[in-house]
Coordinates of all heavy atoms in Angstrom, one line a residue:
M845 N 37.1 67.6 -2.8 CA 37.8 66.4 -2.7 C 39.1 66.6 -2.1 O 39.8 67.6 -2.4 CB 38.1 65.8 -4.1 CG 37.8 64.3 -4.0 SD 38.5 63.3 -5.3 CE 37.3 63.8 -6.7
S846 N 39.6 65.8 -1.3 CA 40.8 66.0 -0.6 C 42.0 65.9 -1.6 O 42.1 65.0 -2.4 CB 40.9 64.8 0.7 OG 42.3 64.9 1.0
D847 N 43.0 66.7 -1.3 CA 44.3 66.5 -2.0 C 45.3 65.6 -1.4 O 46.4 65.4 -2.0 CB 44.9 67.9 -2.2 CG 44.0 68.9 -3.1 OD1 43.4 68.3 -4.0 OD2 44.2 70.0 -2.9
I848 N 44.9 65.0 -0.2 CA 45.9 64.2 0.5 C 46.0 62.9 -0.3 O 44.9 62.2 -0.6 CB 45.5 64.0 1.9 CG1 45.4 65.3 2.6 CG2 46.5 63.2 2.6 CD1 44.8 65.3 3.9
D849 N 47.1 62.5 -0.7 CA 47.4 61.2 -1.5 C 47.5 60.1 -0.4 O 48.5 60.0 0.4 CB 48.6 61.4 -2.3 CG 48.8 60.2 -3.1 OD1 48.1 59.2 -2.9 OD2 49.8 60.2 -3.9
T850 N 46.5 59.2 -0.3 CA 46.6 58.1 0.7 C 46.9 56.9 0.1 O 47.1 55.9 0.8 CB 45.2 58.1 1.4 OG1 44.3 57.8 0.3 CG2 44.8 59.3 2.1
K851 N 47.2 56.8 -1.1 CA 47.6 55.6 -1.8 C 48.8 55.0 -1.2 O 49.9 55.8 -1.0 CB 47.8 55.7 -3.3 CG 48.0 54.5 -4.0 CD 47.9 54.6 -5.5 CE 47.9 53.5 -6.3 NZ 48.9 52.5 -6.2
R852 N 48.8 53.8 -0.7 CA 50.1 53.2 -0.2 C 50.9 52.9 -1.2 O 50.7 52.3 -2.3 CB 49.6 52.0 0.7 CG 50.8 51.3 1.3 CD 50.4 50.2 2.3 NE 49.5 49.2 1.5 CZ 49.3 48.0 2.0 NH1 49.9 47.5 3.1 NH2 48.5 47.2 1.3
R853 N 52.1 53.4 -1.2 CA 53.1 53.1 -2.3 C 54.2 52.1 -2.0 O 55.0 51.7 -2.8 CB 53.8 54.5 -2.7 CG 52.8 55.4 -3.1 CD 53.4 56.7 -3.8 NE 52.3 57.6 -4.2 CZ 51.5 57.4 -5.3 NH1 51.8 56.4 -6.1 NH2 50.5 58.3 -5.6
T854 N 54.2 51.6 -0.6 CA 55.2 50.6 -0.4 C 54.7 49.2 -1.0 O 53.5 49.0 -0.9 CB 55.5 50.4 1.0 OG1 54.0 50.4 1.7 CG2 56.4 51.4 1.6
K855 N 55.5 48.6 -1.8 CA 55.0 47.3 -2.3 C 54.7 46.2 -1.3 O 55.5 45.9 -0.3 CB 56.1 46.8 -3.3 CG 56.1 47.4 -4.6 CD 56.6 46.4 -5.8 CE 56.4 47.0 -7.1 NZ 57.7 47.3 -7.7
V856 N 53.6 45.6 -1.4 CA 53.4 44.4 -0.5 C 53.9 43.2 -1.2 O 53.5 42.7 -2.3 CB 51.9 44.2 -0.4 CG1 51.7 43.1 0.7 CG2 51.3 45.6 0.3
K857 N 54.9 42.6 -0.6 CA 55.6 41.5 -1.2 C 54.7 40.2 -0.8 O 54.8 39.8 0.3 CB 57.0 41.4 -0.8 CG 57.9 40.5 -1.7 CD 59.4 40.7 -1.3 CE 60.2 39.7 -2.0 NZ 61.6 39.7 -1.3
P858 N 54.2 39.5 -1.9 CA 53.6 38.2 -1.5 C 54.6 37.2 -1.1 O 55.6 37.1 -1.7 CB 52.8 37.8 -2.8 CG 53.4 38.7 -3.9 CD 54.1 39.8 -3.4
K859 N 54.2 36.5 0.0 CA 55.1 35.5 0.4 C 55.1 34.3 -0.5 O 53.9 33.7 -0.6 CB 54.8 35.0 1.8 CG 55.5 35.8 3.0 CD 56.0 34.9 4.1 CE 56.7 35.7 5.1 NZ 55.7 36.4 6.0
T860 N 56.2 33.9 -1.1 CA 56.1 32.8 -2.0 C 56.7 31.5 -1.2 O 57.7 31.7 -0.7 CB 57.0 33.0 -3.2 OG1 58.1 33.5 -2.8 CG2 56.4 33.9 -4.4
E861 N 55.7 30.6 -1.2 CA 56.2 29.4 -0.3 C 57.2 28.6 -1.1 O 57.0 28.4 -2.3 CB 54.9 28.6 -0.1 CG 53.8 29.4 0.6 CD 53.1 28.6 1.6 OE1 53.0 27.3 1.5 OE2 52.5 29.2 2.5
R862 N 58.1 28.0 -0.5 CA 59.0 27.1 -1.1 C 58.4 25.9 -1.4 O 57.5 25.3 -0.5 CB 60.2 26.8 -0.1 CG 61.2 27.9 0.2 CD 62.2 27.6 1.2 NE 62.8 28.8 1.8 CZ 63.6 29.7 1.3 NH1 64.1 29.3 0.1 NH2 64.0 30.6 1.9
P863 N 58.8 25.3 -2.6 CA 58.2 24.0 -2.9 C 58.5 22.9 -1.9 O 59.7 23.0 -1.4 CB 58.7 23.7 -4.2 CG 59.9 24.5 -4.5 CD 59.6 25.7 -3.5
R864 N 57.6 22.1 -1.5 CA 57.9 21.1 -0.5 C 58.8 20.1 -1.1 O 58.8 19.7 -2.3 CB 56.6 20.3 -0.3 CG 56.4 19.8 1.2 CD 55.0 19.4 1.3 NE 54.9 18.6 2.6 CZ 54.0 17.8 2.7 NH1 53.0 17.5 1.8 NH2 53.9 17.0 3.9
L865 N 59.9 19.6 -0.4 CA 60.9 18.8 -0.8 C 60.5 17.3 -0.7 O 59.7 17.0 0.3 CB 62.2 19.0 -0.2 CG 62.8 20.4 -0.6 CD1 64.1 20.5 0.2 CD2 63.1 20.5 -2.1
H866 N 60.9 16.4 -1.6 CA 60.5 15.1 -1.5 C 61.8 14.2 -1.2 O 62.9 14.4 -2.0 CB 59.8 14.6 -2.7 CG 58.4 15.2 -2.7 ND1 57.3 14.4 -2.7 CD2 57.9 16.5 -2.7 CE1 56.2 15.2 -2.8 NE2 56.5 16.5 -2.7
K867 N 61.8 13.2 -0.4 CA 62.9 12.3 -0.1 C 62.8 11.2 -1.1 O 61.7 10.7 -1.5 CB 62.8 11.7 1.4 CG 62.7 12.6 2.4 CD 62.8 12.0 3.6 CE 61.3 11.7 4.1 NZ 61.2 11.4 5.6
V868 N 63.9 10.7 -1.7 CA 64.0 9.4 -2.5 C 64.6 8.4 -1.3 O 65.6 8.7 -0.6 CB 65.0 9.5 -3.6 CG1 65.2 8.3 -4.2 CG2 64.6 10.7 -4.5
L869 N 63.8 7.3 -1.3 CA 64.1 6.3 -0.3 C 64.6 5.0 -1.1 O 64.0 4.7 -2.0 CB 62.9 5.9 0.5 CG 62.2 7.0 1.3 CD1 60.9 6.6 2.0 CD2 63.2 7.6 2.3
L870 N 65.7 4.4 -0.5 CA 66.1 3.0 -1.1 C 65.5 2.1 -0.2 O 65.7 2.0 1.1 CB 67.7 3.1 -1.2 CG 68.3 1.8 -1.4 CD1 67.9 1.3 -2.8 CD2 69.9 1.9 -1.2
I871 N 64.9 1.0 -0.8 CA 64.3 -0.1 0.0 C 65.1 -1.4 -0.1 O 65.5 -1.7 -1.4 CB 62.9 -0.3 -0.5 CG1 62.0 1.0 -0.8 CG2 62.1 -1.3 0.4 CD1 61.8 1.8 0.5
N872 N 65.3 -2.0 1.0 CA 66.1 -3.1 0.9 C 65.4 -4.3 0.2 O 64.1 -4.3 0.2 CB 66.6 -3.6 2.3 CG 67.5 -4.7 2.3 OD1 68.3 -5.0 1.4 ND2 67.3 -5.9 3.2
D873 N 66.1 -5.2 -0.5 CA 65.5 -6.6 -0.7 C 66.5 -7.6 -0.7 O 67.6 -7.2 -0.4 CB 65.0 -6.4 -2.3 CG 66.1 -6.2 -3.2 OD1 66.9 -7.3 -3.5 OD2 66.3 -5.2 -3.9
D874 N 66.2 -8.9 -0.9 CA 67.1 -9.9 -0.6 C 67.8 -10.4 -1.8 O 68.6 -11.3 -1.9 CB 66.4 -11.2 0.0 CG 65.8 -10.9 1.4 OD1 66.4 -10.0 2.1 OD2 64.8 -11.5 1.7
F875 N 67.5 -9.8 -3.0 CA 68.1 -10.4 -4.3 C 69.0 -9.6 -5.0 O 70.0 -10.0 -5.6 CB 66.9 -10.7 -5.1 CG 66.0 -11.6 -4.6 CD1 64.7 -11.1 -4.1 CD2 66.2 -13.0 -4.6 CE1 63.8 -12.0 -3.3 CE2 65.3 -13.8 -3.9 CZ 64.1 -13.3 -3.3
T876 N 68.9 -8.1 -4.9 CA 69.7 -7.3 -5.7 C 71.1 -7.4 -5.1 O 71.3 -7.1 -3.9 CB 69.3 -5.9 -5.7 OG1 68.0 -5.7 -6.0 CG2 70.1 -4.9 -6.7
P877 N 72.2 -7.7 -5.9 CA 73.6 -7.7 -5.4 C 74.1 -6.2 -4.8 O 73.8 -5.3 -5.4 CB 74.4 -8.1 -6.6 CG 73.5 -8.6 -7.5 CD 72.3 -8.0 -7.3
R878 N 74.9 -6.3 -3.8 CA 75.3 -5.0 -3.2 C 76.0 -4.1 -4.1 O 75.7 -2.9 -4.1 CB 76.2 -5.4 -2.0 CG 75.6 -6.2 -0.8 CD 76.6 -6.4 0.2 NE 75.9 -7.1 1.3 CZ 76.3 -7.0 2.6 NH1 77.4 -6.2 3.0 NH2 75.7 -7.7 3.5
E879 N 76.9 -4.7 -4.9 CA 77.7 -4.0 -5.8 C 76.8 -3.2 -6.9 O 77.0 -2.2 -7.4 CB 78.7 -4.8 -6.6 CG 79.4 -5.9 -5.7 CD 78.5 -7.1 -5.5 OE1 78.2 -7.6 -6.5 OE2 78.2 -7.3 -4.3
F880 N 75.6 -4.0 -7.2 CA 74.7 -3.5 -8.2 C 74.0 -2.1 -7.7 O 73.9 -1.1 -8.3 CB 73.7 -4.4 -8.6 CG 72.7 -4.0 -9.9 CD1 73.3 -4.2 -11.1 CD2 71.6 -3.3 -9.6 CE1 72.4 -3.7 -12.2 CE2 70.9 -2.9 -10.6 CZ 71.2 -3.0 -11.9
V881 N 73.6 -2.3 -6.5 CA 72.8 -1.0 -5.7 C 73.9 0.1 -5.6 O 73.5 1.3 -6.1 CB 72.5 -1.4 -4.2 CG1 71.8 -0.3 -3.5 CG2 71.6 -2.7 -4.3
V882 N 75.1 -0.2 -5.4 CA 76.2 1.0 -5.3 C 76.4 1.5 -6.6 O 76.4 2.7 -6.7 CB 77.6 0.3 -4.7 CG1 78.7 1.3 -4.9 CG2 77.4 -0.2 -3.3
M883 N 76.4 0.6 -7.7 CA 76.6 1.2 -8.9 C 75.5 2.2 -9.3 O 75.7 3.2 -10.0 CB 76.7 0.1 -10.0 CG 76.7 0.4 -11.5 SD 75.3 0.7 -12.4 CE 74.6 -0.8 -12.5
V884 N 74.2 1.8 -9.1 CA 73.0 2.6 -9.3 C 73.1 3.9 -8.6 O 72.9 5.0 -9.2 CB 71.7 1.8 -9.1 CG1 70.5 2.7 -9.2 CG2 71.6 0.6 -10.1
L885 N 73.4 3.8 -7.3 CA 73.5 5.1 -6.6 C 74.6 6.0 -7.1 O 74.3 7.3 -7.2 CB 73.9 4.8 -5.1 CG 72.8 4.0 -4.2 CD1 73.3 3.5 -3.1 CD2 71.6 5.1 -4.0
K886 N 75.7 5.5 -7.5 CA 76.7 6.4 -8.3 C 76.2 7.0 -9.5 O 76.4 8.2 -9.7 CB 77.9 5.5 -8.5 CG 78.9 5.2 -7.2 CD 79.7 4.0 -7.3 CE 80.9 4.5 -8.1 NZ 82.0 3.5 -8.1
A887 N 75.6 6.1 -10.4 CA 75.2 6.6 -11.7 C 74.0 7.6 -11.5 O 74.1 8.7 -12.3 CB 74.7 5.4 -12.5
V888 N 73.1 7.3 -10.8 CA 71.8 8.2 -10.9 C 71.8 9.4 -9.8 O 71.4 10.5 -10.1 CB 70.5 7.4 -10.4 CG1 69.3 8.2 -10.5 CG2 70.4 6.4 -11.5
F889 N 72.6 9.2 -8.7 CA 72.5 10.2 -7.7 C 74.0 10.9 -7.6 O 74.2 11.5 -6.6 CB 72.0 9.6 -6.3 CG 70.7 9.1 -6.4 CD1 70.4 7.8 -6.7 CD2 69.7 10.0 -6.3 CE1 69.1 7.3 -6.7 CE2 68.3 9.6 -6.4 CZ 68.0 8.2 -6.7
K890 N 74.9 10.6 -8.5 CA 76.2 11.1 -8.5 C 77.0 11.0 -7.1 O 77.7 11.9 -6.8 CB 76.2 12.5 -9.0 CG 75.2 12.9 -10.2 CD 75.7 12.1 -11.4 CE 74.7 12.4 -12.6 NZ 74.6 11.2 -13.5
M891 N 76.8 9.9 -6.5 CA 77.5 9.6 -5.3 C 79.0 9.0 -5.5 O 79.1 8.3 -6.6 CB 76.8 8.6 -4.4 CG 75.6 9.1 -3.9 SD 74.8 7.9 -2.8 CE 73.2 8.7 -2.5
N892 N 80.0 9.3 -4.6 CA 81.1 8.6 -4.6 C 81.0 7.2 -4.2 O 80.0 6.9 -3.5 CB 82.3 9.4 -4.2 CG 82.1 9.5 -2.7 OD1 81.5 8.8 -1.9 ND2 82.6 10.7 -2.1
E893 N 82.0 6.3 -4.4 CA 81.9 4.9 -4.0 C 81.7 4.9 -2.4 O 80.8 4.0 -2.0 CB 83.4 4.3 -4.2 CG 83.5 2.9 -3.9 CD 82.7 2.0 -4.8 OE1 82.6 2.3 -6.0 OE2 82.4 0.8 -4.4
E894 N 82.3 5.7 -1.6 CA 82.1 5.6 -0.2 C 80.8 5.9 0.3 O 80.2 5.2 1.1 CB 83.2 6.5 0.5 CG 83.4 6.3 1.9 CD 84.2 7.4 2.5 OE1 84.5 8.5 1.8 OE2 84.5 7.5 3.7
R895 N 80.1 6.9 -0.2 CA 78.9 7.4 0.1 C 77.9 6.3 -0.3 O 76.8 6.1 0.4 CB 78.6 8.8 -0.5 CG 77.2 9.4 -0.2 CD 77.1 9.9 1.2 NE 75.6 10.2 1.5 CZ 75.0 9.7 2.4 NH1 75.6 9.0 3.3 NH2 73.8 10.1 2.7
A896 N 78.0 5.9 -1.6 CA 77.0 5.0 -2.2 C 77.1 3.6 -1.2 O 76.0 3.1 -1.0 CB 77.4 4.7 -3.6
A897 N 78.3 3.1 -0.9 CA 78.3 2.0 -0.1 C 77.7 2.3 1.2 O 77.1 1.3 1.8 CB 79.8 1.6 0.0
Q898 N 77.9 3.5 1.8 CA 77.3 3.8 3.1 C 75.7 3.8 3.1 O 75.1 3.1 4.0 CB 77.7 5.2 3.4 CG 78.0 5.5 4.8 CD 78.6 7.0 4.8 OE1 77.9 8.0 4.5 NE2 79.8 7.2 5.3
V899 N 75.2 4.3 2.0 CA 73.7 4.3 1.9 C 73.1 2.9 1.6 O 72.2 2.5 2.2 CB 73.3 5.4 0.6 CG1 71.8 5.1 0.2 CG2 73.6 6.8 1.1
M900 N 73.9 2.1 0.8 CA 73.5 0.7 0.5 C 73.4 0.1 1.7 O 72.5 -0.7 2.1 CB 74.5 0.1 -0.5 CG 74.1 -1.3 -0.9 SD 74.7 -2.6 0.3 CE 76.4 -2.3 0.2
I901 N 74.5 0.1 2.6 CA 74.6 -0.7 3.7 C 73.6 -0.4 4.8 O 73.1 -1.2 5.6 CB 76.0 -0.7 4.4 CG1 76.3 -2.1 5.0 CG2 76.3 0.3 5.3 CD1 76.4 -3.3 4.1
T902 N 73.3 0.9 4.8 CA 72.2 1.4 5.8 C 70.7 0.9 5.4 O 70.0 0.3 6.2 CB 72.1 3.0 5.7 OG1 73.4 3.5 6.2 CG2 71.0 3.4 6.7
A903 N 70.5 0.7 4.0 CA 69.3 0.2 3.6 C 69.3 -1.3 3.9 O 68.2 -1.8 4.2 CB 69.0 0.5 2.1
H904 N 70.4 -1.9 3.7 CA 70.5 -3.4 3.9 C 70.3 -3.7 5.3 O 69.6 -4.7 5.6 CB 71.9 -3.7 3.5 CG 72.2 -5.2 3.7 ND1 71.7 -6.3 2.9 CD2 73.0 -5.9 4.7 CE1 72.2 -7.4 3.4 NE2 72.9 -7.1 4.5
Q905 N 70.7 -2.9 6.3 CA 70.6 -3.2 7.7 C 69.4 -2.6 8.3 O 68.8 -3.3 9.3 CB 71.8 -2.6 8.5 CG 73.1 -3.2 8.1 CD 74.3 -2.5 8.7 OE1 74.2 -1.4 9.1 NE2 75.5 -3.3 8.8
Q906 N 68.9 -1.6 7.8 CA 67.7 -0.9 8.4 C 66.4 -1.1 7.7 O 65.3 -0.7 8.1 CB 67.9 0.6 8.7 CG 69.2 1.1 9.2 CD 69.4 0.8 10.6 OE1 68.2 0.9 11.4 NE2 70.5 0.4 11.0
G907 N 66.5 -1.6 6.4 CA 65.3 -1.8 5.5 C 65.1 -0.7 4.6 O 64.5 -0.9 3.6
V908 N 65.5 0.5 5.0 CA 65.3 1.6 4.2 C 66.4 2.8 4.6 O 67.0 2.7 5.6 CB 63.9 2.2 4.4 CG1 63.6 2.5 5.8 CG2 63.5 3.4 3.5
C909 N 66.8 3.5 3.5 CA 67.6 4.6 3.7 C 67.3 5.8 2.9 O 66.8 5.7 1.7 CB 69.1 4.2 3.4 SG 70.2 5.5 3.7
V910 N 67.3 7.0 3.4 CA 67.1 8.2 2.6 C 68.3 8.4 1.8 O 69.4 8.5 2.2 CB 66.8 9.5 3.6 CG1 66.7 10.8 2.6 CG2 65.6 9.4 4.5
V911 N 68.1 8.5 0.4 CA 69.2 8.7 -0.5 C 69.5 10.2 -0.7 O 70.6 10.6 -0.7 CB 68.8 8.1 -1.8 CG1 69.8 8.3 -2.9 CG2 68.4 6.7 -1.6
A912 N 68.4 11.0 -0.9 CA 68.6 12.5 -1.2 C 67.2 13.2 -1.1 O 66.2 12.6 -1.1 CB 69.2 12.7 -2.5
V913 N 67.2 14.4 -1.1 CA 65.9 15.3 -1.3 C 66.0 16.2 -2.3 O 67.0 16.8 -2.6 CB 65.6 16.0 0.1 CG1 65.2 15.2 1.2 CG2 66.8 16.9 0.4
F914 N 64.9 16.2 -3.1 CA 64.7 17.1 -4.3 C 63.3 17.6 -4.4 O 62.4 17.3 -3.5 CB 64.9 16.1 -5.6 CG 66.3 15.4 -5.7 CD1 66.3 14.1 -5.4 CD2 67.3 16.2 -6.1 CE1 67.5 13.4 -5.5 CE2 68.5 15.4 -6.2 CZ 68.7 14.1 -6.0
T915 N 63.1 18.5 -5.2 CA 61.7 18.8 -5.6 C 61.0 17.7 -6.1 O 61.7 16.6 -6.5 CB 61.6 20.0 -6.7 OG1 62.3 19.6 -7.8 CG2 62.3 21.3 -6.1
R916 N 59.6 17.7 -6.0 CA 58.9 16.4 -6.3 C 59.2 15.9 -7.8 O 59.4 14.6 -7.7 CB 57.4 16.7 -6.2 CG 56.6 15.4 -6.5 CD 55.2 15.6 -5.8 NE 54.4 16.6 -6.5 CZ 53.5 16.2 -7.5 NH1 53.3 15.1 -7.9 NH2 52.8 17.2 -7.9
D917 N 59.3 16.6 -8.6 CA 59.5 16.2 -10.2 C 60.8 15.5 -10.2 O 60.9 14.4 -10.8 CB 59.5 17.4 -11.0 CG 58.3 17.5 -11.8 OD1 57.2 17.1 -11.3 OD2 58.4 18.2 -13.0
I918 N 61.8 16.1 -9.7 CA 63.2 15.5 -9.8 C 63.3 14.1 -8.9 O 63.8 13.2 -9.4 CB 64.3 16.5 -9.4 CG1 64.3 17.7 -10.3 CG2 65.7 15.9 -9.4 CD1 65.2 18.8 -10.0
A919 N 62.6 14.2 -7.8 CA 62.8 12.9 -6.9 C 62.0 11.9 -7.7 O 62.6 10.8 -7.7 CB 62.0 13.3 -5.7
E920 N 60.9 12.0 -8.2 CA 60.2 11.2 -8.8 C 60.9 10.5 -10.1 O 60.9 9.4 -10.4 CB 58.7 11.4 -9.2 CG 57.8 11.6 -7.9 CD 56.4 12.3 -8.2 OE1 56.3 12.8 -9.4 OE2 55.7 12.3 -7.2
T921 N 61.4 11.5 -10.9 CA 62.2 11.1 -12.1 C 63.3 10.2 -11.7 O 63.6 9.1 -12.2 CB 62.7 12.2 -12.9 OG1 61.5 13.1 -13.2 CG2 63.4 12.0 -14.0
K922 N 64.1 10.6 -10.7 CA 65.4 9.9 -10.3 C 65.0 8.5 -9.7 O 65.7 7.5 -9.9 CB 66.2 10.7 -9.3 CG 66.9 11.7 -10.1 CD 68.0 12.5 -9.2 CE 68.8 13.5 -9.9 NZ 69.8 12.9 -10.7
A923 N 63.9 8.4 -8.9 CA 63.6 7.2 -8.3 C 63.1 6.3 -9.4 O 63.4 5.1 -9.2 CB 62.2 7.5 -7.3
T924 N 62.4 6.7 -10.4 CA 62.0 5.9 -11.5 C 63.1 5.4 -12.2 O 63.0 4.2 -12.6 CB 60.9 6.7 -12.4 OG1 59.8 7.1 -11.5 CG2 60.3 5.8 -13.5
E925 N 64.0 6.3 -12.6 CA 65.3 5.9 -13.4 C 66.0 4.9 -12.7 O 66.4 3.9 -13.4 CB 66.0 7.2 -13.5 CG 67.1 7.1 -14.5 CD 68.0 8.4 -14.6 OE1 67.6 9.5 -14.2 OE2 69.1 8.3 -15.1
A926 N 66.2 5.1 -11.4 CA 67.0 4.1 -10.7 C 66.4 2.8 -10.5 O 67.0 1.7 -10.6 CB 67.3 4.7 -9.2
T927 N 65.1 2.7 -10.3 CA 64.3 1.6 -10.2 C 64.2 0.7 -11.5 O 64.3 -0.5 -11.5 CB 62.9 1.8 -9.7 OG1 62.9 2.4 -8.5 CG2 62.0 0.6 -9.6
D928 N 64.2 1.6 -12.6 CA 64.2 0.9 -13.9 C 65.5 0.3 -14.3 O 65.5 -0.7 -15.0 CB 63.8 2.0 -15.0 CG 62.3 2.2 -15.0 OD1 61.5 1.6 -14.3 OD2 61.9 3.2 -15.6
I929 N 66.5 0.8 -13.8 CA 67.9 0.1 -14.1 C 67.9 -1.3 -13.4 O 68.4 -2.2 -14.1 CB 69.0 1.0 -13.6 CG1 69.1 2.3 -14.3 CG2 70.4 0.3 -13.7 CD1 70.0 3.5 -13.8
G930 N 67.4 -1.4 -12.2 CA 67.3 -2.6 -11.6 C 66.4 -3.6 -12.3 O 66.7 -4.7 -12.6
K931 N 65.2 -3.1 -12.8 CA 64.2 -3.9 -13.4 C 64.8 -4.4 -14.7 O 64.7 -5.7 -15.1 CB 63.0 -2.9 -13.8 CG 61.7 -3.8 -14.0 CD 60.7 -2.9 -14.4 CE 60.0 -2.3 -13.0 NZ 58.9 -1.3 -13.5
S932 N 65.6 -3.5 -15.4 CA 66.2 -4.0 -16.8 C 67.2 -5.2 -16.6 O 67.4 -6.0 -17.4 CB 67.0 -2.9 -17.4 OG 66.0 -1.8 -17.7
A933 N 67.8 -5.1 -15.3 CA 68.8 -6.2 -15.2 C 68.1 -7.5 -14.4 O 68.8 -8.3 -13.9 CB 69.9 -5.7 -14.3
G934 N 66.8 -7.3 -14.2 CA 66.1 -8.5 -13.6 C 66.1 -8.4 -12.1 O 65.8 -9.4 -11.4
F935 N 66.4 -7.3 -11.5 CA 66.4 -7.2 -10.0 C 65.2 -6.4 -9.4 O 64.7 -5.5 -10.1 CB 67.7 -6.5 -9.5 CG 68.9 -7.2 -9.9 CD1 70.0 -6.8 -10.6 CD2 69.1 -8.6 -9.5 CE1 71.1 -7.4 -11.0 CE2 70.2 -9.3 -9.8 CZ 71.2 -8.7 -10.5
P936 N 64.8 -6.7 -8.2 CA 63.6 -6.0 -7.7 C 64.0 -4.7 -6.9 O 63.2 -4.3 -6.1 CB 63.0 -7.0 -6.6 CG 64.2 -7.7 -6.1 CD 65.3 -7.9 -7.4
L937 N 65.0 -4.2 -7.3 CA 65.6 -2.9 -6.7 C 64.5 -1.9 -6.7 O 64.0 -1.7 -7.7 CB 66.9 -2.5 -7.5 CG 67.5 -1.3 -6.9 CD1 68.1 -1.4 -5.4 CD2 68.7 -0.8 -7.7
L938 N 64.2 -1.3 -5.5 CA 63.2 -0.4 -5.5 C 63.6 1.0 -4.8 O 64.0 1.0 -3.7 CB 62.0 -1.0 -4.6 CG 60.8 -0.1 -4.6 CD1 60.1 0.3 -5.9 CD2 59.8 -0.7 -3.7
F939 N 63.2 2.1 -5.6 CA 63.3 3.5 -5.0 C 61.9 4.1 -4.9 O 61.2 4.0 -6.0 CB 64.3 4.4 -5.9 CG 65.8 4.1 -5.8 CD1 66.2 2.8 -6.6 CD2 66.6 4.6 -5.0 CE1 67.5 2.5 -6.4 CE2 68.0 4.2 -5.0 CZ 68.4 3.1 -5.8
T940 N 61.6 4.6 -3.7 CA 60.5 5.3 -3.6 C 60.6 6.8 -3.3 O 61.6 7.1 -3.1 CB 59.4 4.7 -2.6 OG1 60.0 4.8 -1.3 CG2 59.3 3.2 -2.8
T941 N 59.4 7.6 -3.3 CA 59.6 9.0 -2.8 C 58.5 9.2 -1.8 O 57.4 8.6 -1.7 CB 59.5 10.0 -4.0 OG1 58.1 9.8 -4.5 CG2 60.3 9.8 -5.1
E942 N 58.8 10.2 -0.9 CA 57.8 10.7 0.0 C 58.0 12.2 0.2 O 59.1 12.5 0.4 CB 57.7 9.8 1.2 CG 58.7 9.9 2.1 CD 58.5 9.1 3.4 OE1 57.9 8.0 3.4 OE2 58.8 9.6 4.5
P943 N 57.0 12.9 0.6 CA 57.1 14.3 1.0 C 57.8 14.5 2.3 O 57.7 13.5 3.2 CB 55.8 14.9 1.0 CG 54.9 13.9 0.9 CD 55.5 12.5 0.4
E944 N 58.7 15.6 2.4 CA 59.3 15.8 3.7 C 58.2 16.5 4.6 O 57.3 17.3 4.2 CB 60.5 16.7 3.6 CG 61.7 16.1 3.4 CD 63.0 17.2 3.7 OE1 62.7 18.3 3.2 OE2 64.0 16.7 4.0
E945 N 58.2 16.3 5.9 CA 57.4 16.8 6.8 C 57.5 18.4 6.7 O 58.5 19.0 6.7 CB 57.8 16.5 8.4 CG 58.0 15.0 8.7 CD 59.4 14.5 8.0 OE1 60.3 15.3 8.2 OE2 59.4 13.4 7.3
Ligands
TYC1038 N1 70.1 -6.9 0.7 C1 70.9 -7.1 -0.6 C2 71.8 -8.3 -0.5 O1 72.1 -8.8 0.6 C3 71.7 -5.8 -0.9 C4 70.7 -4.6 -1.0 C5 71.0 -3.5 -0.2 C6 69.7 -4.6 -1.9 C7 70.2 -2.4 -0.3 C8 68.9 -3.5 -1.9 O2 68.4 -1.4 -1.1 C9 69.1 -2.3 -1.2 N2 72.3 -8.8 -1.7

């Protein structure tokens, strides 16, 4: 038997794929007051007044605006939480999620 040690000793590092990120989208509607949308963005997404107003007005004008990106779980939890605040107040405010390309 050969005495030559042929065992490879360098570690093969398995490539761990990064979790796909998901966008939280704010959808415009005709009923939710602007100040209410801003309040929800500040509360759930920790935005300052200026940023929240910017995101709200973009959704208002374009129909939709990307709020933030998170891992899937966090994106879905925050979208649900934000949507539920609107629902509790009787508004059709809607946040959705979708995977990033
Ligand atoms: N369009 C609403 C209004 O004019 C305000 C609004 C903005 C509602 C963005 C939802 O995602 C939204 N009162």
